[in-house]
Amino acid sequence: MIQNADEELEAERQEKIKKLKKQLQLLLEEDEPKIYQFQQMTHYMTKQYCNYKFHQKMKNGIENIKTLILMDLSAIIVIFGICDEITKWQESVVMCVGALLAVFIPGIGYAIVYHKYKRLKNIESSGCLLEYTNVVLDVGKETKFLCSDGHMEEWKMRSDDDAKVKAGEEAVVIYSPSTHEMFTERKEVMNKICGI
């Protein structure tokens, strides 16, 4: 009888140890950082995405140029509004400077924006294919990615204002091996652009 009681206690103890080991294993698995595997895009998908990203960045850059032009025009209006005793000569100088700025800001601004984002067009022509993977965006957390050539990339995830992807949302991370850049896009957008 005592032996049966000891065996039952030992069996219960062994069962509790097994349960604790399983719980510990689950906790350890949760704490391990997930490593995402990149897949290479096709040439077509790389071209489509590079064109999309280039046009998106150009559109945002042109919006900033429009803002500068409006600020220029606002400055002219403010100058005329503040100055009561402005001579015809001063008025013509202000108008000429404002007109020159209104002409040069779009041209120079466009050239600057184009050269800044021209690298996106060059990615596709370099022959180096983009890589992608699906993730659940965890903003601010270091995430590891295994590239298709076997090397690891670590990237601190951030919310992408252009893509409007927020923390906890499913997204597609695109990696450019030629420029070592990562972009984040919403899954629906990538499905529209490349069929992912």
Side-chain angles (χ1 to χ4, degrees):
M1 192 113 167
I2 295 175
Q3 190 176 12
N4 283 344
D6 287 339
E7 287 176 2
E8 286 179 17
L9 287 174
E10 183 62 28
E12 283 181 31
R13 196 173 130 251
Q14 289 298 329
E15 190 64 34
K16 284 181 182 179
I17 288 172
K18 284 182 185 178
K19 285 182 183 178
L20 288 172
K21 282 183 179 179
K22 283 182 183 178
Q23 289 175 346
L24 181 62
Q25 183 65 28
L26 288 173
L27 286 173
L28 289 174
E29 286 175 4
E30 287 176 6
D31 288 343
E32 286 181 19
K34 184 169 182 175
I35 298 174
Y36 293 98
Q37 171 73 47
F38 278 123
Q39 301 172 31
Q40 275 192 337
M41 290 184 176
T42 63
H43 287 285
Y44 172 77
M45 290 166 59
T46 297
K47 181 179 179 181
Q48 289 292 102
Y49 183 74
C50 288
N51 285 336
Y52 164 77
K53 199 65 175 176
F54 174 74
H55 290 296
Q56 184 186 38
K57 294 286 188 184
M58 286 296 292
K59 180 181 164 190
N60 292 345
I62 290 171
E63 290 298 321
N64 293 338
I65 293 169
K66 288 178 184 176
T67 303
L68 285 175
I69 292 172
L70 288 175
M71 287 172 56
D72 174 46
L73 295 174
S74 299
I76 293 171
I77 293 169
V78 168
I79 289 171
F80 283 121
I82 292 175
C83 299
D84 291 334
E85 298 176 16
I86 193 167
T87 64
K88 291 284 184 193
W89 180 80
Q90 291 169 332
E91 185 177 300
S92 62
V93 168
V94 169
M95 290 297 281
C96 284
V97 169
L100 285 173
L101 286 174
V103 169
F104 285 115
I105 287 175
I108 293 171
Y110 182 84
I112 290 170
V113 170
Y114 179 81
H115 286 290
K116 182 176 181 181
Y117 298 117
K118 184 179 170 185
R119 74 185 189 301
L120 294 170
K121 294 288 265 181
N122 292 339
I123 290 172
E124 175 234 327
S125 61
S126 72
C128 200
L129 299 175
L130 296 177
E131 301 177 11
Y132 74 97
T133 187
N134 294 326
V135 300
V136 173
L137 199 64
D138 195 359
V139 176
K141 185 177 179 186
E142 286 284 329
T143 307
K144 292 182 180 183
F145 296 93
L146 181 62
C147 298
S148 59
D149 66 357
H151 82 278
M152 292 288 274
E153 285 285 334
E154 280 195 42
W155 181 54
K156 188 172 187 176
M157 287 197 177
R158 61 191 179 348
S159 156
D160 191 338
D161 294 333
D162 291 339
K164 295 176 180 64
V165 180
K166 309 266 186 288
E169 291 182 349
E170 191 171 357
V172 178
V173 173
I174 298 96
Y175 172 64
S176 169
S178 61
T179 60
H180 298 291
E181 289 180 276
M182 289 200 189
F183 307 102
T184 309
E185 294 293 340
R186 288 190 336 234
K187 196 168 181 180
E188 305 83 48
V189 171
M190 285 304 290
N191 198 13
K192 233 188 263 186
I193 298 167
C194 304
I196 293 177

